[in-house]
């Protein structure tokens, strides 16, 4: 800790200091007497540690899984209307589309909160801890619920009641899952300062929180992704590299808040980071257990772009080229961050390296595939929706028409059926009426299927065969076209006209 009056010259002072506990001093005096000489030994600390590998795997794995999960879930929700047999219990979390106004408000809130934490850290740190416990329990529940629903037991529901949440009669297994998630958050909140094992719970809750946010928050266009990443890029660089010139102590606001102020009376740390202790066998770890940190923002911000790339991949059927390329670019950017951390020996804004890697890679892939216009505006989603709603039904109708055209037609369809004819108008010639009857076969088909006619006269064998073929063709129609009632009615009407 630098002396109080020498913070400006602290880097110039090179005086090693050793701390010895009072009990150890008494043991030394008792064993060796008071004439004891000591020599100081300072081992060389390694530049990189093995914990970087663990942080790399957790960060890249969270971005990849979250982006893949968010993209697949969003596509299924928008274009495939699944029938849920579990009522309100099985509903998916609602997504939130990020707009430019929301991005600006979000950045202003981040700046305000960071400055407030810098000046009122001891008071606001407990608010952040409480918010993290609540959000992490919700995120853990959201991540574990799809697996719990696969269990064959615990499907029974609680009885009817008037309680705020339990009036929906949740299943017993989901209720037990909620209790488990809340218990994990409470255990971490109580033992959060245990350096031996509490970091494992914090990382698990942090990963669940990041996955939940990647599922919930959705960027609809690459334009929105670019705006968000660039604004937070400037935010990260400013609070790491520019704020040391604005503060009295010459410390970076971002690094000071993330690591916790050295003069804090509470000695609490912000939980919004992934933390892994140093794994090397250093004597310094006996006195203090140093950790390597990676903020949640360095996972969530590029992860939103990865999720957008995966959604676009599925829509344009590009074999996940954008998703894989953006994930690899994120891993490369994180490696560059670690190298810069080792070379400069100071805290680094990870977005300084992650944002250019992911944005340039995604932009290059879209340019190479000649899909930049669709990728920029997200119009690939609209094209696929148009293809699903218009082109596929049109192709289906065309296929039915050609199939019926190629089938062998019966020699006589209308005249062979003994059904009462319409009363002929005496003022209209008979040839013209026959021409109108031949031009409007739908009328005869409607008469053919009339229940009154079926009761009066049985149809011949050819008509029965044709009706059975029509019913089989209707029953074999794909179920996907009957999901929308309006589209199904229009298809049936046109099919009857073609028949």
């Amino acid at each position: 800790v630098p002396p109080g009056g020498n913070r400006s010259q602290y880097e110039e002072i090179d005086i090693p200091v050793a701390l010895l506990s009072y009990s150890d001093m008494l043991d030394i005096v008792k064993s060796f007497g008071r004439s004891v000489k000591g020599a100081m030994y300072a081992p060389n600390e390694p530049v990189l540690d093995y914990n970087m590998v663990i942080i790399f795997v957790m960060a890249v794995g969270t971005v990849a899984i979250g982006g893949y999960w968010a993209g697949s879930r969003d596509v299924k929700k928008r274009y495939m209307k699944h029938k849920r047999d579990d009522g309100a219990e099985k509903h998916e979390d609602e997504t939130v589309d990020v707009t430019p106004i929301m991005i600006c408000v979000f950045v202003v809130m981040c700046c305000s909160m960071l400055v407030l934490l810098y000046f009122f850290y001891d008071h606001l740190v407990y608010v952040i801890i409480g918010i993290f416990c609540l959000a992490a329990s919700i995120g853990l529940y959201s991540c574990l619920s799809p697996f719990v629903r696969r269990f064959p037991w615990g499907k029974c529901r609680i009885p009817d009641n008037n309680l705020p949440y339990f009036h929906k009669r949740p299943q017993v297994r989901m209720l037990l899952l909620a209790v488990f998630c809340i218990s994990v958050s409470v255990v971490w909140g109580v033992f959060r300062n245990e350096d031996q094992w509490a970091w494992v719970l914090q990382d698990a809750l942090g990963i669940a929180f990041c996955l939940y946010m990647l599922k919930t928050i959705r960027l609809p266009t690459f334009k929105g992704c670019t705006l968000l990443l660039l604004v937070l890029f400037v935010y990260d660089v400013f609070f790491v590299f520019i704020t040391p010139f604005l503060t009295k102590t010459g410390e970076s606001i971002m690094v000071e808040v993330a690591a916790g102020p050295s003069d804090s009376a509470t000695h609490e740390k912000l939980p919004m980071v992934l933390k892994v202790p140093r794994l090397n066998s250093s004597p310094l770890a006996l006195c203090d257990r140093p950790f390597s940190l990676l903020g949640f923002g360095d996972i969530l911000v590029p992860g939103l772009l990865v999720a957008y790339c995966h959604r676009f991949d599925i829509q344009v059927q590009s074999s996940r080229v954008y998703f894989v390329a953006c994930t690899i670019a994120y891993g490369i950017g994180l490696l560059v961050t670690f190298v810069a951390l080792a070379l400069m020996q100071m805290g680094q804004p990870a977005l300084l390296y992650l944002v250019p890697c992911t944005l340039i890679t995604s932009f290059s892939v879209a340019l190479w595939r000649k899909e930049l216009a669709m990728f920029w505006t997200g119009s690939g989603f609209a094209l696929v929706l148009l293809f699903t709603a218009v082109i596929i039904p049109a192709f289906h109708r065309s296929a039915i028409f050609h199939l019926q055209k190629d089938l062998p037609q019966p020699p006589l369809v209308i005249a062979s059926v003994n059904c009462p004819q319409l009363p002929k108008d005496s003022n209209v010639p008979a040839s013209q009426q026959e021409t109108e009857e031949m031009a409007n076969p739908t009328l005869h088909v409607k008469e053919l299927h009339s229940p009154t006619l079926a009761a009066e006269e049985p149809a011949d064998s050819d008509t029965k065969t044709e009706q059975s073929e029509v019913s089989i063709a209707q029953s074999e129609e794909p179920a996907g076209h009957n999901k929308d009632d309006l589209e199904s009615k229009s298809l049936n009407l046109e099919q009857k006209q073609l028949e």
Side-chain angles (χ1 to χ4, degrees):
V1 179
N6 264 336
R7 297 185 71 93
S8 61
Q9 298 179 349
Y10 176 65
E11 300 295 336
E12 303 174 4
I13 301 175
D14 190 11
I15 302 176
V17 178
L19 301 178
L20 188 66
S21 67
Y22 182 72
S23 59
D24 290 339
M25 186 271 292
L26 294 179
D27 292 339
I28 291 174
V29 171
K30 182 179 179 181
S31 302
F32 302 101
R34 292 190 176 274
S35 58
V36 177
K37 294 182 180 180
M40 300 188 66
Y41 168 69
N44 294 325
E45 290 293 320
V47 177
L48 292 176
D49 193 77
Y50 299 114
N51 64 351
M52 295 294 184
V53 178
I54 299 178
I55 291 181
F56 179 84
V57 172
M58 288 194 302
V60 176
T62 303
V63 168
I65 296 174
Y68 185 87
W69 194 359
S72 301
R73 173 183 170 275
D74 183 73
V75 169
K76 289 180 181 179
K77 184 178 179 181
R78 291 180 61 181
Y79 302 112
M80 300 172 65
K81 299 177 181 179
H82 289 289
K83 292 182 179 179
R84 300 183 176 92
D85 55 354
D86 207 3
E89 183 67 29
K90 204 174 179 180
H91 71 279
E92 296 287 344
D93 300 325
E94 294 296 331
T95 57
V96 178
D97 289 343
V98 178
T99 61
I101 297 178
M102 295 174 61
I103 293 174
C104 297
V105 173
F106 173 73
V107 173
V108 171
M109 291 177 60
C110 288
C111 296
S112 304
M113 180 57 69
L114 194 60
V115 173
L116 290 175
L117 280 170
Y118 180 74
F119 289 104
F120 307 101
Y121 184 85
D122 291 340
H123 302 283
L124 294 178
V125 65
Y126 293 106
V127 177
I128 301 299
I129 291 174
I131 294 174
F132 174 76
C133 289
L134 178 62
S137 60
I138 295 175
L140 188 62
Y141 178 86
S142 176
C143 293
L144 295 180
S145 57
F147 302 99
V148 174
R149 287 194 181 100
R150 296 178 180 270
F151 294 164
W153 55 82
K155 295 183 179 180
C156 56
R157 299 178 180 274
I158 64 174
D160 292 330
N161 56 83
N162 296 324
L163 296 177
Y165 172 74
F166 298 98
H167 71 278
K168 297 181 180 180
R169 301 186 61 200
Q171 294 180 350
V172 174
R173 57 184 180 181
M174 307 310 296
L175 190 60
L176 294 177
L177 176 63
V179 173
F180 170 77
C181 296
I182 295 174
S183 302
V184 172
S185 297
V186 171
V187 169
W188 175 85
V190 174
F191 299 98
R192 62 185 179 277
N193 293 322
E194 292 289 336
D195 291 339
Q196 299 297 327
W197 55 270
W199 62 272
V200 178
L201 277 183
Q202 179 173 331
D203 291 346
L205 292 172
I207 291 174
F209 170 75
C210 291
L211 292 176
Y212 172 73
M213 295 301 292
L214 289 176
K215 284 199 310 176
T216 305
I217 301 176
R218 186 173 63 109
L219 292 171
T221 63
F222 183 65
K223 178 173 60 177
C225 296
T226 305
L227 177 62
L228 177 64
L229 267 66
L230 289 180
V231 170
L232 292 179
F233 170 84
V234 175
Y235 158 83
D236 215 13
V237 172
F238 174 80
F239 279 100
V240 174
F241 289 138
I242 307 300
T243 52
F245 300 101
L246 305 177
T247 57
K248 295 180 179 180
T249 60
E251 295 288 340
S252 167
I253 292 181
M254 181 74 74
V255 176
E256 190 81 2
V257 171
S262 58
D263 57 350
S264 173
T266 60
H267 300 289
E268 294 284 354
K269 306 293 183 183
L270 286 180
M272 311 299 288
V273 293
L274 296 180
K275 55 187 297 186
V276 179
R278 295 289 182 94
L279 301 179
N280 55 4
S281 57
S282 172
L284 296 178
L286 299 176
C287 301
D288 186 20
R289 192 174 182 84
F291 287 86
S292 296
L293 309 177
L294 183 67
F296 288 167
D298 302 328
I299 298 175
L300 291 175
V301 177
L304 295 174
L305 176 59
V306 174
Y308 173 78
C309 290
H310 186 222
R311 290 198 306 271
F312 191 81
D313 272 326
I314 296 178
Q315 302 308 325
V316 300
Q317 299 180 356
S318 59
S319 301
R320 296 182 175 86
V321 175
Y322 292 90
F323 171 72
V324 174
C326 195
T327 304
I328 294 175
Y330 176 81
I332 294 174
L334 200 58
L335 290 177
V336 174
T337 305
F338 292 159
V339 172
L341 181 65
L343 294 178
M344 300 183 185
Q345 290 296 312
M346 61 177 296
Q348 296 294 314
L351 294 181
L352 175 63
Y353 312 98
L354 295 175
V355 169
C357 288
T358 53
L359 279 182
I360 293 175
T361 301
S362 304
F363 181 86
S364 302
V365 173
L367 190 63
W368 170 61
R369 292 177 57 86
K370 299 179 181 179
E371 297 171 346
L372 184 58
M374 289 193 303
F375 189 67
W376 177 258
T377 59
S379 58
F381 303 144
L383 289 177
V384 172
L385 182 61
L386 178 66
F387 179 78
T388 306
V390 177
I391 299 179
I392 291 180
F395 174 78
H396 177 68
R397 291 192 293 267
S398 177
I400 293 177
F401 176 76
H402 288 292
L403 180 61
Q404 293 180 351
K405 184 177 179 181
D406 295 337
L407 288 176
Q409 300 295 331
L412 197 58
V413 177
I414 301 174
S416 62
V417 180
N418 295 324
C419 57
Q421 302 294 328
L422 291 176
K424 295 184 179 181
D425 192 355
S426 59
N427 298 326
V428 181
S431 60
Q432 184 176 352
Q433 290 187 359
E434 291 176 359
T435 305
E436 291 177 356
E437 291 172 358
M438 293 299 296
N440 190 12
T442 308
L443 178 63
H444 297 274
V445 174
K446 180 182 283 189
E447 293 176 358
L448 180 65
H449 293 282
S450 176
T452 307
L453 296 178
E456 290 177 359
E457 288 185 8
D460 58 0
S461 59
D462 293 339
T463 307
K464 290 182 181 179
T465 304
E466 184 183 2
Q467 289 180 349
S468 62
E469 289 176 357
V470 170
S471 62
I472 292 174
Q474 291 179 354
S475 63
E476 291 179 354
E477 187 176 3
H481 297 282
N482 295 327
K483 293 181 179 179
D484 193 343
D485 295 333
L486 183 60
E487 183 179 353
S488 178
K489 291 179 181 179
S490 62
L491 283 175
N492 292 332
L493 179 59
E494 290 190 23
Q495 184 177 353
K496 287 180 179 180
Q497 292 178 356
L498 288 174
E499 291 170 353

